[in-house]
Amino acid sequence: MCQTILQNPSFFKFLLRIDQDHAATIRLRGCIHCGGPLHQTHYERKPRDAPSSWIEEKIRFSFCCGHCRRRCTPASVRFLGRRVYWGATVLLVTALCHGLPLRRSNKLSQHFGVPIQTLRRWRQWWLTEFILTPVWQTLRGRFLPGGSPFSAR
């Protein structure tokens, strides 16, 4: 049931609105380096398994300073860094495969079109790099004890 959300256009439109609001806030603040005005320099991402009709949802908001020309790309709830999959896919699939035997992980991999090796790499990222991020350091007290959200118990 939870995997159907990844095919729901209204879910991604909701995430797009969150990104739009955040980008507007960042743009109003101006350049973090020199305080200059920020000009739009958005670009299209090509996330895997995104329907071609979702053109607007695939835009990554980014700005360029009018004075120092440095780029400012606000954080996004749709894209997880430089990964080629939607951030929601990375989160959901990694959570779903947690603790599964290899046979069931293979089925999950086939259903979402994500190779097993990629699933393992994502899990390793959650266990090592993610737990060092400021986001996790701030929010970890709100989760059950046990380290990262995908640690083995």
Side-chain angles (χ1 to χ4, degrees):
M1 178 180 150
C2 58
Q3 57 265 32
T4 60
I5 198 165
L6 296 177
Q7 282 88 37
N8 186 342
S10 63
F11 173 68
F12 285 95
K13 287 189 186 305
F14 173 67
L15 296 180
L16 172 65
R17 283 194 304 272
I18 293 171
D19 277 359
Q20 287 171 329
D21 289 347
H22 183 61
T25 302
I26 295 297
R27 186 173 188 194
L28 287 174
R29 289 183 191 157
C31 178
I32 61 171
H33 302 289
C34 72
L38 294 176
H39 303 291
Q40 293 183 17
T41 55
H42 307 328
Y43 56 95
E44 185 179 343
R45 293 285 304 267
K46 297 176 185 167
R48 298 212 176 138
D49 296 331
S52 58
S53 62
W54 293 8
I55 299 299
E56 191 175 302
E57 287 82 351
K58 295 188 283 185
I59 298 298
R60 181 71 164 101
F61 299 111
S62 189
F63 304 101
C64 181
C65 178
H67 293 153
C68 70
R69 307 305 300 167
R70 287 184 163 170
R71 183 173 287 274
C72 173
T73 304
S76 171
V77 295
R78 294 172 299 142
F79 305 106
L80 190 57
R82 298 177 58 101
R83 287 165 180 77
V84 295
Y85 291 89
W86 293 107
T89 301
V90 174
L91 180 63
L92 179 65
V93 174
T94 307
L96 287 174
C97 76
H98 176 66
L100 288 180
L102 184 59
R103 182 178 59 81
R104 290 198 51 212
S105 293
N106 283 333
K107 285 185 181 181
L108 192 63
S109 168
Q110 291 170 355
H111 179 75
F112 287 101
V114 179
I116 283 285
Q117 190 171 350
T118 300
L119 290 176
R120 288 184 181 138
R121 192 173 55 252
W122 288 351
R123 185 170 191 278
Q124 191 60 33
W125 178 82
W126 286 109
L127 293 172
T128 57
E129 294 178 45
F130 177 72
I131 61 172
L132 300 175
T133 64
V135 170
W136 178 249
Q137 296 299 317
T138 302
L139 298 177
R140 68 182 177 179
R142 297 182 185 177
F143 293 89
L144 294 174
S148 80
F150 300 103
S151 64
R153 300 201 193 272

